[in-house]
Amino acid sequence: MSDHIFMGGGGNGYGAPQVLRQDKANRHGLIAGATGTGKTVTLQIMAEGFSAAGVPVFLSDVKGDLSGLAASGSPEFKLHDAFMKRAETIGFDLEYDSFPVTFWDLFGRQGHPIRATVAEMGPLLLSRLMELTDVQEGVLNVAFRVADEEGLPLLDLKDLQALLVWVGQNAKELSLRYGNVASSSVGAIQRQLLVLENQGGTALFGEPALVLSDMMRTRDGRGEINILAADQLMGSPRLYATFLLWLLSELFEELPEVGNPDKPKLVFFFDEAHLLFDDAPKALVDKVEQVARLIRSKGVGVYFVTQNPGDIPDDVLGQLGNRVQHALRAFTAKDRKELKTAAETYRDNPGFDTATAIQEVGTGEAVTSFLDRKGIPMVVERTLIRPPSSQLGPIDQATRAAIMKASDMAGKYDTAADRESAFEMLNKRAEIAAKEAEAAEAAEAALEEKEREFKAGRRYDGGGMGRSTSRRSSRSSGGFGGALASVVAKELTGTSGRRLVRGILGSLFKGR
């Protein structure tokens, strides 16, 4: 097994090998360039190289082209002759081959379903997903705290919706404990949850939740290439970006420290990376920078794929040691400024002007810089990228379906589970509270009847005292949990509660 991934040939005549070292692959990287300049093919050959080295890969397939990794290239392909000529130029022995692939899809159509629980996603990422204000994010944090304290598992959206019902009804009491909790903020969150449902978010939340080890497998010595179908998901760009960030943060939280491994434990490609940072609050950008800085010690390499390096904040860009820069165009003053900035991030090569080279490289060619054995960026080179060994372009639906059917993941995530969680627990508490309320009302009625008998001159022993004690007992029983149960009972038996139940059942049916 090679200790590097051959990326292409650089220098005069493109005869100097340009390689990505396996032991430096967890120092992260960048694939940038304008549309149509070859970013997808570069991503494809990187995935091939890591898989061949026994390194699992996760990537999102935005255009559907990367499914071709599951099929071998062929001499019948129309670009075969051009590929062979390029391989000869750069000194690469091109052998067509396929790679082990697992297909995933949040919507369960083009891959195995992939889910997370609401509790796992957490209030910060959910707030980002729903575009909440700081005040609304604070209220969402209160809801999560209540769930933790009351032992209410938040698994899917109906759990969160039911909990927010209680938070809204008890806003006054919660404000005394946690600070201002405005009912209007709760209402705004509920409306954003409806928007999230309409975008397909219901399919993301629930169980069985993804087990990370299922993405870190090898097959016959090759790393599994996990491909997330993202063509439909890109219709909800914030959902796409938040899900990938959640997955990255889960890797960071769960994987053990490994220091500086000989090769990564997993390589994670973040395509359309600008979506992660567009209008992102500074707190979120800081978290991404922190994850990028620390996750490499977990053996995870993160590669951002975007059109322009300027799409990535400087603190994050500074963590990306391995870079492939395809062509950038400079049609406007802003374009020229961004081009100059991109060129300045590379170590100069005295043989050419970097900014000029970035404009001139053609399709399948790039300006590259990789880390050397000491972790120092090498001088920038004009590089002819090697052709892929797997199929260029998507596989057909029949082939995809056959791969999914034969996968080890077939059946594991296909059927959604709905075990008892916050929604069901609150329903039970509501039923108990309703029965207790009926019993209390019956006792009150009996007591009032005895009072009327007493006033009419009939014998009555201790009625007034009994009434006072009974009412105090009814009001004080249950404590915090009892208050929660009684309020939720009132809401779920009211008109708005029935609307909530109908909405939840409809969403759950669609999610299945």
Side-chain angles (χ1 to χ4, degrees), residues 65-82:
D65 293 343
L66 291 169
S67 62
L69 282 159
S72 176
S74 169
E76 304 299 321
F77 182 55
K78 62 182 180 180
L79 293 179
H80 169 71
D81 291 341

Side-chain angles (χ1 to χ4, degrees), residues 458-470:
R458 299 174 184 175
R459 183 174 176 273
Y460 178 64
D461 185 11
M465 181 67 72
R467 180 181 184 212
S468 175
T469 303
S470 173

Side-chain angles (χ1 to χ4, degrees), residues 448-510:
E448 289 174 356
E449 177 62 25
K450 288 185 177 181
E451 286 183 344
R452 286 193 293 270
E453 292 176 354
F454 178 80
K455 290 178 180 179
R458 299 174 184 175
R459 183 174 176 273
Y460 178 64
D461 185 11
M465 181 67 72
R467 180 181 184 212
S468 175
T469 303
S470 173
R471 285 180 174 173
R472 281 200 304 271
S473 175
S474 174
R475 290 169 181 164
S476 63
S477 65
F480 188 71
L484 183 145
S486 62
V487 171
V488 174
K490 177 182 176 181
E491 180 63 24
L492 291 179
T493 55
T495 303
S496 63
R498 288 195 294 273
R499 285 200 300 268
L500 176 64
V501 170
R502 286 202 303 271
I504 287 172
L505 291 177
S507 299
L508 181 60
F509 177 77
K510 291 175 184 178

Side-chain angles (χ1 to χ4, degrees), residues 92-115:
F92 177 64
D93 184 16
L94 177 60
E95 295 182 1
Y96 290 122
D97 199 1
S98 61
F99 294 84
V101 164
T102 299
F103 292 109
W104 302 91
D105 184 0
L106 259 66
F107 306 107
R109 295 167 186 164
Q110 300 187 70
H112 306 293
I114 186 169
R115 306 179 188 87

